Amino acid sequence: MLKYIALALLLVVALGVALVYSVGMGVFGAQDGRPIEIQGATRPDEVQRASEARVRAAADGVRVPRPKQILFGDFHVHTTISFDAFMISLPSLNGEGAHPPADACDFARYCSALDFWSINDHAESISSPAWQDTIDAVRACNARAGDPLNPDMVSFLGWEWTQVGATPDTHYGHKNVVLPGLADDEIPRRPIGAARALFPFFSSAFARGWLTLSLGAPQRMHTFSGYWAERAREQHCAADVNTRALPGDCVEVAETPAVLFRKLGEWGFDSLVIPHGTTWGFYTPPGSTWDKQLSGALHDPQRQTLLEVYSGHGDSEVYRSFEALAVGDDGEAYCPAPTDDYLPTCWRAGEIIRERCESEGLTEETCAGRAERTRKLAAQAGQQAHLVVVGGEAADWLDAGQCRDCDQPAFNYRPGGSAQYLLALGNFDDDPAAPKRFRLGFISSSDNHYARPGTGFKEKNRRGNTESNVARLGAATGLAAYLRAPVETPESEPRPFDLESSGLSGFQLYEMERQASFFITGGLVATHAEGRSRSDIWDAIKRREVYATSGPRLLLWFDLLNPEGGAGESLPMGGETALGSAPIFQARAVGSFEQKPGCPDYAAAALPQHELERLCKGECYNPSDKRRRITRIEVVRVRPQLRPDEDVATLIDDPWMSFPCTGDDPAGCTFTFTDAEFPYAKRDAVYYVRAYEAPTPGINAGNVNCEYDAEGRCVKVDLCDGADDCLASHEPRAWSSPIYVNFAGPGDDGAAESALASRSASAPVNAATR
């Protein structure tokens, strides 16, 4: 009898083990987007014609000669193929469920009514079957676009190369790769990632199965198990082998931008590589700059021609000279003192410990010593400075690490990656007389992780149109434990941070809760294109004849009126020329349309009501006939370094000029101006413009929402962690791509420096007309 009981128990155990393993292998789950189910057909022709007519009328109103079409798109979109998007889709993490590539197609076509978009899931989490799913979905979306020469929307294929380094020396950041074509011979057999982004726990079938069953085995968790099982099966590609010779089902990795550019070159067809989040300190180590990425093969001027200056993660445009940490003569990191416009996180760490120490009644000397030690440990911890302080609330950190005078800045702002810093840089390694420089056009995009391209058309639905839902995870249990550090009792002594002994990994290492107050709806890229076709859009992008918006569809033109050899033709934004005389520029801007509530009739006719609610959340791009007013146009001038030791802060004039747009003229405004100093300064210069609309409420526009004391110090914050949209006033805006004007006269570095030193940045020589 005992023998049969033992056999029965053994059978039960074996069946239990088999069940856990089967669940962990995703046997009971179906992967997102299989089969492809695109809902909407081609947008009606009359919608496209009306949009084009409105742009033509606006161009006529500000007297644009021979205007091109202005088309709006989003070059940064994630679906639940991306591991982070998949994780936050799970019900236990307040997720919405599956958002496959087909959702991105329908959202772009009918919810946000874009002219083009690209898919950019993290390459590190794209399995071979998922890559084929992506290709098939983008092709299917494009197949519904109508006439290829005049499509309603163009869908581009791509991915994100997602690199994170632990130190400034090893960090390169995130870059989107976008491909121009969809034919088999225009597509790599596999995307190229920076590293494999698997949580170690999720690589075990038994661990996945046990977790799924422990959460009640909902269907989405079965899909979760299958998602990770599919990726765990694949092996890394062989290193140092030509990418064309590798099999299609291995995981290809490029550890640095140089390797990425080389591998893209081996395929032999065109591609774009677009850096983004360059000031985003959520993952960027303090002290990081872009200096090294202008050296050697780390920059490809043929592929890396655009920069994402604004997204759902904030603004990355402006340079500031503050430091998150500093390095002494001995090579050791130390915590710099706070200034009126910046509070280093490491310094705030010391103050938190001091406050706790004093609340325990300890002596001032003891508490000051603990604060000093905390600052030292926090500086050594770098990106994980906040983990030196044990326990407490996110609000304890006030506005530490943030750019106080920036408009919707990226979290934990890293100015060494800002657009202005990149424009000012020079690399003198190869030829001191002819330094390497970045030549980049400016774009914005959403970086949305819910398959919703172009979410910035209305400031509604913070959950889903931004990434902010991750703040509401509750206790760090279940799956939430993989997205935040464990909750601990506050201590009045600092704790040295050591990665290995901490037991933390992935998102547990970062400030998830404070970050949630910086997620915004994101922006758009606009192109001045000859037509609507794929090649027309791609050609405009390659010319850098593009601009960025913070979400609304402002219309912006920026031209150099007297380019060398122009013969009466102007040079548009993104262009480059050489001049010996003063450049003359013209900027024109027209405001975006006020939005009507809900969705237009054509969207309601194309998508079922439940899809309008699930995907569009009941709101679409739905323009009225009234345009918002442009309030001002600002000009920014950057003079790139003549020597490697020139202080970048002295080379950036922001704003160099500012022109008010008075009245309520819906036709917009136009300004003409010149730089009379240019021929005397005898150095290259870069110019771009920003156009602003009147203030309006925006999601998370207040970031941490500081309450200030009489001395102007932030003493209390109100983080956005509820269900509302956390609206605050902001100014919608657009950024032109720069125009690069090289000095064509005889060089005289001494005269250039003298002119730069003697000029008055507050009173530039200019002529302006409206």
Side-chain angles (χ1 to χ4, degrees):
M1 187 66 176
L2 292 176
K3 176 181 178 181
Y4 292 111
I5 293 175
L7 287 173
L9 290 174
L10 184 62
L11 179 60
V12 169
V13 171
L15 289 174
V17 170
L19 175 63
V20 172
Y21 182 79
S22 297
V23 169
M25 292 302 293
V27 171
F28 306 104
Q31 292 303 291
D32 294 352
R34 300 174 190 167
I36 298 167
E37 296 180 351
I38 294 174
Q39 302 284 328
T42 311
R43 273 196 307 260
D45 288 343
E46 57 267 26
V47 175
Q48 178 181 311
R49 289 196 297 270
S51 177
E52 293 170 0
R54 285 175 158 184
V55 173
R56 285 196 301 271
D60 290 344
V62 291
R63 299 181 181 179
V64 179
R66 300 180 299 282
K68 301 181 178 74
Q69 294 196 44
I70 296 182
L71 306 177
F72 293 94
D74 188 341
F75 262 3
H76 195 166
V77 182
H78 294 270
T79 74
T80 42
I81 287 175
S82 287
F83 77 94
D84 49 354
F86 187 92
M87 293 296 289
I88 62 175
S89 78
L90 297 171
S92 58
L93 298 179
N94 306 312
E96 296 183 355
H99 279 301
D103 274 3
C105 173
D106 285 329
F107 191 94
R109 178 165 276 133
Y110 280 102
C111 306
S112 55
L114 297 180
D115 299 304
F116 62 94
W117 69 286
S118 71
I119 192 167
N120 305 98
D121 282 310
H122 298 288
E124 296 76 16
S125 55
I126 303 177
S127 64
S128 297
W131 180 234
Q132 190 58 55
D133 292 342
T134 302
I135 295 169
D136 293 344
V138 171
R139 285 172 170 170
C141 186
N142 205 65
R144 300 192 181 204
D147 181 2
L149 295 180
N150 193 36
D152 73 328
M153 184 175 75
V154 175
S155 304
F156 288 93
L157 182 65
W159 68 83
E160 178 176 322
W161 183 81
T162 311
Q163 194 272 349
V164 178
T167 67
D169 289 341
T170 61
H171 181 79
Y172 298 101
H174 299 184
K175 303 173 190 284
N176 284 340
V177 178
V178 182
L179 306 168
L182 293 178
D184 285 343
D185 61 356
E186 298 174 306
I187 300 173
R189 283 196 289 274
R190 73 206 73 75
I192 304 165
R196 197 60 193 267
L198 281 174
F199 291 95
F201 181 86
F202 298 154
S203 63
S204 164
F206 287 106
R208 294 191 302 267
W210 181 258
L211 180 60
T212 297
L213 292 170
S214 70
L215 293 173
Q219 187 57 46
R220 189 69 185 150
M221 285 303 299
H222 285 297
T223 303
F224 159 89
S225 291
Y227 175 95
W228 290 104
E230 185 172 279
R231 285 143 184 82
R233 282 192 290 266
E234 296 188 337
Q235 302 298 314
H236 277 78
C237 301
D240 300 322
V241 175
N242 187 293
T243 188
R244 285 183 169 272
L246 295 169
D249 60 351
C250 62
V251 179
E252 189 167 10
V253 171
E255 296 85 357
T256 68
V259 179
L260 174 65
F261 293 134
R262 174 178 62 78
K263 287 178 174 290
L264 290 172
E266 288 171 355
W267 281 111
F269 43 75
D270 200 6
S271 60
L272 284 172
V273 177
I274 309 172
H276 64 270
T278 51
T279 64
W280 190 28
F282 178 70
Y283 66 87
T284 303
S288 296
T289 75
W290 261 65
D291 295 65
K292 65 178 180 295
Q293 295 204 54
L294 194 51
S295 63
L298 291 173
H299 173 53
D300 183 339
Q302 302 305 313
R303 299 183 194 276
Q304 194 164 252
T305 58
L306 300 178
L307 176 70
E308 187 181 282
V309 298
Y310 182 95
S311 76
H313 294 151
D315 191 326
S316 293
E317 176 206 358
V318 300
Y319 177 72
R320 297 291 184 265
S321 57
F322 57 69
E323 294 180 304
L325 59 77
V327 179
D329 295 337
D330 59 358
E332 292 294 318
Y334 69 91
C335 188
T339 63
D340 289 341
D341 59 359
Y342 185 70
L343 172 61
T345 299
C346 53
W347 193 274
R348 180 57 190 159
E351 294 307 292
I352 293 173
I353 292 297
R354 182 200 300 271
E355 292 163 6
R356 292 179 183 178
C357 176
E358 292 174 348
S359 71
E360 294 176 356
L362 299 177
T363 67
E364 182 177 339
E365 182 181 2
T366 297
C367 295
R370 288 188 185 182
E372 183 178 357
R373 180 167 178 262
T374 302
R375 290 193 291 268
K376 182 177 180 179
L377 292 175
Q380 292 171 349
Q383 183 70 359
Q384 279 65 54
H386 62 290
L387 295 176
V388 168
V389 177
V390 181
E393 302 293 331
D396 295 343
W397 294 91
L398 302 178
D399 64 345
Q402 312 314 319
C403 184
R404 289 174 171 169
D405 66 339
C406 296
D407 193 357
Q408 296 175 290
F411 177 65
N412 280 350
Y413 201 79
R414 309 294 189 226
S418 66
Q420 292 176 351
Y421 187 82
L422 269 64
L423 293 180
L425 276 182
N427 180 280
F428 302 83
D429 294 345
D430 296 333
D431 185 353
K436 289 182 181 178
R437 289 172 180 156
F438 289 113
R439 291 291 185 258
L440 301 167
F442 288 174
I443 71 166
S444 295
S445 285
S446 69
D447 200 356
N448 184 271
H449 282 60
Y450 295 89
R452 292 187 172 112
T455 48
F457 53 88
K458 291 175 182 173
E459 294 295 320
K460 292 187 175 183
N461 300 313
R462 183 172 65 93
R463 280 200 63 200
N465 285 346
T466 79
E467 321 305 302
S468 295
N469 75 315
V470 296
R472 304 177 63 216
L473 298 177
T477 59
L479 277 175
Y482 297 96
L483 295 183
R484 60 181 296 179
V487 176
E488 299 180 275
T489 302
E491 298 179 6
S492 63
E493 288 268 19
R495 179 173 62 195
F497 175 77
D498 176 73
L499 179 60
E500 186 173 345
S501 63
S502 73
L504 303 178
S505 64
F507 292 118
Q508 296 172 321
L509 294 166
Y510 304 107
E511 295 186 82
M512 295 291 289
E513 192 170 352
R514 275 213 305 161
Q515 166 64 74
S517 289
F518 288 77
F519 287 130
I520 53 182
T521 53
L524 295 174
V525 50
T527 63
H528 287 273
E530 297 288 354
R532 296 184 59 88
S533 72
R534 177 179 297 272
S535 60
D536 288 330
I537 294 171
W538 189 260
D539 288 347
I541 290 167
K542 295 296 286 188
R543 293 194 305 269
R544 301 191 300 250
E545 200 171 344
V546 298
Y547 64 91
T549 90
S550 61
R553 298 175 198 195
L554 291 79
L555 304 180
L556 182 63
W557 296 264
F558 179 48
D559 300 277
L560 175 66
L561 301 183
N562 62 330
E564 183 71 22
E569 294 289 327
S570 62
L571 181 72
M573 62 177 73
E576 181 172 7
T577 190
L579 283 178
S581 57
I584 303 170
F585 299 95
Q586 190 167 64
R588 302 174 172 92
V590 177
S592 64
F593 285 108
E594 296 279 2
Q595 292 294 302
K596 297 184 291 186
C599 296
D601 291 342
Y602 73 84
L607 298 178
Q609 182 62 33
H610 67 86
E611 282 297 284
L612 285 176
E613 294 299 327
R614 180 190 72 87
L615 188 58
C616 306
K617 292 183 172 284
E619 296 290 348
C620 303
Y621 179 71
N622 194 10
S624 68
D625 293 328
K626 180 181 179 182
R627 287 193 179 273
R628 295 169 175 160
R629 185 171 65 88
I630 298 292
T631 59
R632 70 186 185 281
I633 296 176
E634 293 182 344
V635 185
V636 178
R637 180 178 68 178
V638 179
R639 299 187 178 190
Q641 290 175 315
L642 290 174
R643 306 185 319 271
D645 60 347
E646 272 195 296
D647 182 4
V648 164
T650 67
L651 305 177
I652 299 167
D653 299 321
D654 180 15
W656 178 51
M657 300 182 183
S658 184
F659 302 105
C661 301
T662 58
D664 296 317
D665 185 358
C669 59
T670 300
F671 289 105
T672 302
F673 61 94
T674 186
D675 183 0
E677 296 175 349
F678 179 81
Y680 303 103
K682 299 182 185 296
R683 63 187 297 159
D684 302 345
V686 182
Y687 308 83
Y688 67 91
V689 298
R690 289 187 300 249
Y692 290 86
E693 291 185 336
T696 187
I699 292 174
N700 273 344
N703 299 142
V704 296
N705 299 298
C706 270
E707 180 181 310
Y708 299 95
D709 64 11
E711 286 73 40
R713 293 172 300 195
C714 180
V715 294
K716 185 180 179 180
V717 297
D718 182 15
L719 299 180
C720 185
D721 59 0
D724 62 272
D725 283 340
C726 299
L727 297 174
S729 181
H730 79 302
E731 292 181 290
R733 55 204 183 277
W735 302 257
S736 76
S737 281
I739 293 177
Y740 298 88
V741 184
N742 302 320
F743 180 64
D748 184 345
D749 289 353
E753 291 180 28
S754 176
L756 187 61
S758 63
R759 65 179 171 81
S760 171
S762 61
V765 179
N766 70 86
T769 61
R770 182 179 187 273

